[in-house]
Amino acid sequence: MTQTVYTFGGGVKTDDPRAKDKTITGGKGANLTEMSEIGLPVPPGFTITTEECVRYLNEGADFSDDLRAQVREALGHIEATVGKTLGDASDPLLVSVRSGARVSMPGMMDTVLNLGLNDATVAGLAATSGDERFAWDSYRRFIQMYSDVVLGIDHGLFEEALEIAKEDKGLYADTEMEADDWKELVAEYKSIAEEELGRPFPQDVTEQLWGAIKAVFDSWDSDRAKVYRRLNDIPGDWGTAVNVQAMVFGNMGDSSATGVAFTRDPATGEKAYYGEWLVNAQGEDVVAGIRTPQYLTKAAREAANAKPLSMEEAMPEAYAQLADVFELLEKHYCDMQDIEFTVQQGKLWMLQTRSGKRTAKAALKMAVDMAGEGLIDEKTAILRVDPMALDQLLHPTLDPEAKRDVLTSGLPASPGAASGKIVLDADTAENWVARGEKVILVRVETSPEDIHGMHAAQGILTARGGMTSHAAVVARGMGRCCVSGASAVSIDMKARTLKIGSRDLKEGDTLTLDGGNGQVMAGEVATIEPELAGDFGVLMEWADRHRRMKVRTNAETPADCQMARQFGAEGIGLCRTEHMFFDAARISAVRQMILAEDEKGRREALAKLLPEQRADFKSIFEVMAGLPCTIRLLDPPLHEFLPHGDAEFEELANVTGYGVDHLKRRAGELHEFNPMLGHRGCRLGITFPEIYEMQARAIFEAACEVAKESGEPVVPEVMIPLVATGRELELLKALVDRVAQEVFADTACEVEYLVGTMIELPRAALMAGEIAEHAMFFSFGTNDLTQTTLGVSRDDSARFLAPYVDKGIFARDPFVSLDIEGVGQLVQMAAERGRATRGDIKLGICGEHGGDPASIQFCEETGLDYVSASPYRVPIARLAAAQAALR
Ligand code: ADP
Ligand code: MG
Ligand code: MG
């Protein structure tokens, strides 16, 4: 019999490592156990393991007798510790039933508070607490939450009933409701539940308990949890643990409170306690944005110019206890902690701690600061920062010099800047983004159902909710800019219009958000490029000290090359020459070349292109100043360059002197059924050698000119695409070498160069040993290698890849993160066979995967020499490469 239930609190200690293993008891359960073992005040409870959840979900939603027995025994532990019994009418124990997966999924799964209340126990609670109002307030909370989470009744019905009750009595805040008011409302709630359910609200506390456990297990497979998992790459087979814990009450009057806190500022990384709290309230009040929470510290309250007292001022003793806990937990976990607490009649209770989510900026600052404080070492600091999160910092920010038409300000809930068209609901956000718009999602407050719209949007603006509201937490996690609690925003959903302050706006109008200071502006505001300064620069330097692989960039314009160098690129891994062909000034020469009848016609057109290409390469070599540059010769199917529509054909007819009919016939002849597998890549060079000749000439002439002018070495690496056989490369290498010698002779200048190939066909990987006889380097073109190995077209896969990921067929989109199991084998094999033939063969990767941390880890393990990523991903790749080397 495996233990599936673990108790915590009440002074018990366990030596079973499973109890503190997040994969078994979930993050919440493991940390509650740990907190209570280091002596912090944690209400006693127990955790049902994630394994039990997985079993439950796989085996048809049934509880075993064994589980029931273990739960009964663990409940006994809570009852003995607290000295109260679940369902005891004279002195009832109340519990919370809380979800808790391996990693936190804010708001995605369910929790029920105040469980154990019914018509009999509510009287006992009133008697023992001496506070009738509190007892009935707790009961109405329980009925609403249990009905929503377990019974599936729309919570709007209860909210409406509460609003009407308050209106009838002329009350404004929930805290003004008296015992009798709540009593009346409970009667109403029960009849709502009965009407919806067709039977009375469950009074049996054991039924309540198992109902809640079941609901938490089931919530793992809710739609919103699935969407969240897909967005965050969380596997579907982890399951959630269930925590059942004795209730402590923040709603027992003015000496009671509840709150959430961070040991450092999660938005900026500042070493200052940060949090929000509410007097006389229960946990969900803070996060749900129903009441506007108060500041935790005096300094924060004063900085915000707010009136309601901070916890530091209103409850100095409980606050002092809390501050001690902050210090202790940071030292214990060596990381910033995100904490949930409740104060019951002056006494502090800890309800949760975890390493807090943070913005990229805060992650960098905390990592560098904590290393400085000696809390962690340099290696840990490097490993602490999620490389993908850096993406947030690598985008343009608002130009401080630009003019701002500020409509209002809210809370700076998640940093960054965003401009886009106003949309008022999540589905609209998704639809508009699908048709290519940038949008700002504007809501009164967000809920977990909005997550797909938040993901689609550039930024999020809410009228209600604090810095720890759902919108704020989720936006920070996603790296979306968010301004919350902008109370000057009022929305009319029917008319699909909104007012911000005195200004009338409508869905579709453009808005700009500044997540750094909370400003909301009309129209679009100019932006500036990011730079690697401050903590970012420091951490990058540390990363560079620890990485083995070089990081190059995929770039073909001097501007991109310049940007990539600023971001630390150490060369070009992929310069796609065809991008230069699309330029408006040259496309007609390209078309003339393609549509020419014979070699002579092609050579005439190529002669026009040569000086253009040479100029391109010159400017790239100049920017890259001595760094290696891998230039790929023409790759795509030729018909991609053909004219579209009659106007373009006519224009081309004028330039070339061919008739439109002739051109259309030639274009028709170039049609291919499956162009990705057609006349492209090195097949172009084999059939039309004059094309590759021109490109090679342009490269070497440019290299010689720059070498002469600058006196510095220039290092071209000529890359032949889509090779499947050694013979293809042998022929084309001979061509490149011949052109090189001609240019060197003509210019009386010589540069060092390499000729190599992309490995992007399964056959090339298999034949890598033979191909390496002619290749001085391999660059893994993993985009095409993935397409050709899986037999999946990247451009057509969107329709089925999401369901494939949902069903667990692929762990992640294989075009985003390398399919290590499958495609990875080919990469490994090719690397080995290539090295066996040519010991010093240079190996790199230039697909999209070169900027993906998991794929970079694989490249490190395979011993590649470099990865190549798009310019904005270069810092991500530098950090990921360092982490890979350290792991
Ligand atoms: P989530 O994972 O959504 O944060 P939790 O299980 O942490 O859900 O519960 C949400 C809030 O409910 C907590 O922050 C806390 O304020 C309150 N809560 C949970 N359990 C208890 C308890 N035993 N006593 C008092 N409040 C509780
Ligand atoms: Mg929580
Ligand atoms: Mg390719």
Side-chain angles (χ1 to χ4, degrees), residues 28 98-99 111 260 287 340 351-352 354:
K28 201 178 283 170
R98 318 171 62 187
S99 57
T111 285
V260 293
V287 283
E340 296 174 7
L351 292 171
Q352 191 169 333
R354 61 183 167 223

Side-chain angles (χ1 to χ4, degrees), residues 294-352:
Q294 297 154 239
Y295 289 92
L296 198 71
T297 63
K298 181 160 177 265
R301 179 184 69 80
E302 286 173 349
N305 224 337
K307 292 248 153 45
L309 285 187
S310 67
M311 181 172 175
E312 187 175 4
E313 296 158 292
M315 293 189 171
E317 277 168 33
Y319 177 80
Q321 290 174 44
L322 188 61
D324 288 344
V325 170
F326 288 164
E327 295 302 314
L328 199 122
L329 285 178
E330 255 209 11
K331 290 219 172 65
H332 183 77
Y333 288 104
C334 297
D335 198 5
M336 182 269 270
Q337 294 297 295
D338 169 357
I339 288 164
E340 296 174 7
F341 65 91
T342 280
V343 178
Q344 176 175 330
Q345 299 187 312
K347 176 165 170 47
L348 176 72
W349 291 97
M350 301 306 301
L351 292 171
Q352 191 169 333

